[in-house]
Amino acid sequence: MMMRGIRGATTIDRDTEKDITERTKQLIGKMIDENRLKPEQVVQILISATSDIHAAFPAKVVRTFDGWQHVPVMCMQEMDVEHGLKKCIRVMMTVQTDMRQDEVRHVYLENAVTLRPDLSLTKNTEL
């Protein structure tokens, strides 16, 4: 087994609890599905949000997945960089896996696809 980082990001339309919860759940669910993850493989999940997100903690979503209640999760504020992507939630999941680094499926949704088009799921599915 190796330790691997799985990256993901999404954006919200409005700073509401509903938008934050729905988009984060969609993102993390897709990261889990695409990488066939079980909670016992996950070492930790770090979630950052840009400074224009205030309505809810995206990290709370992890507890809604069955069996994921004991996975360590931390929320933090993303760096506020001029001209950076706004209303963005980023995820770094550290996992134990047998996957090679080039087999890891990173997930970028909504406007976050612009962050790493080279790692986007669309490109990965063409392989």
Side-chain angles (χ1 to χ4, degrees), residues 4-19:
R4 298 282 182 221
I6 302 174
R7 296 173 56 168
T10 191
T11 55
I12 58 173
D13 297 321
R14 291 167 301 164
D15 181 26
T16 64
E17 184 173 2
K18 181 178 185 232
D19 270 17

Side-chain angles (χ1 to χ4, degrees), residues 5-59:
I6 302 174
R7 296 173 56 168
T10 191
T11 55
I12 58 173
D13 297 321
R14 291 167 301 164
D15 181 26
T16 64
E17 184 173 2
K18 181 178 185 232
D19 270 17
I20 294 166
T21 301
E22 286 177 358
R23 294 280 172 86
T24 305
K25 189 168 189 164
Q26 176 191 31
L27 174 62
I28 291 176
K30 192 118 179 112
M31 292 173 75
I32 291 167
D33 291 345
E34 289 294 326
N35 292 285
R36 300 172 307 283
L37 297 174
K38 294 180 176 56
E40 55 272 6
Q41 290 177 267
V42 182
V43 176
Q44 65 183 0
I45 302 174
L46 303 175
I47 301 175
S48 68
T50 51
S51 61
D52 50 4
I53 297 176
H54 308 100
F57 289 105

Side-chain angles (χ1 to χ4, degrees), residues 83-120:
H83 306 297
L85 186 60
K86 302 298 182 199
K87 292 190 173 88
C88 184
I89 298 166
R90 289 178 172 89
V91 175
M92 175 64 78
M93 203 179 284
T94 307
V95 302
Q96 298 177 30
T97 181
D98 290 325
M99 286 189 291
R100 293 186 326 261
Q101 203 160 24
D102 65 346
E103 295 175 318
V104 171
R105 306 284 297 227
H106 304 284
V107 179
Y108 292 85
L109 304 175
E110 305 299 332
N111 294 333
V113 171
T114 62
L115 293 172
R116 288 298 302 264
D118 59 316
L119 294 179
S120 75

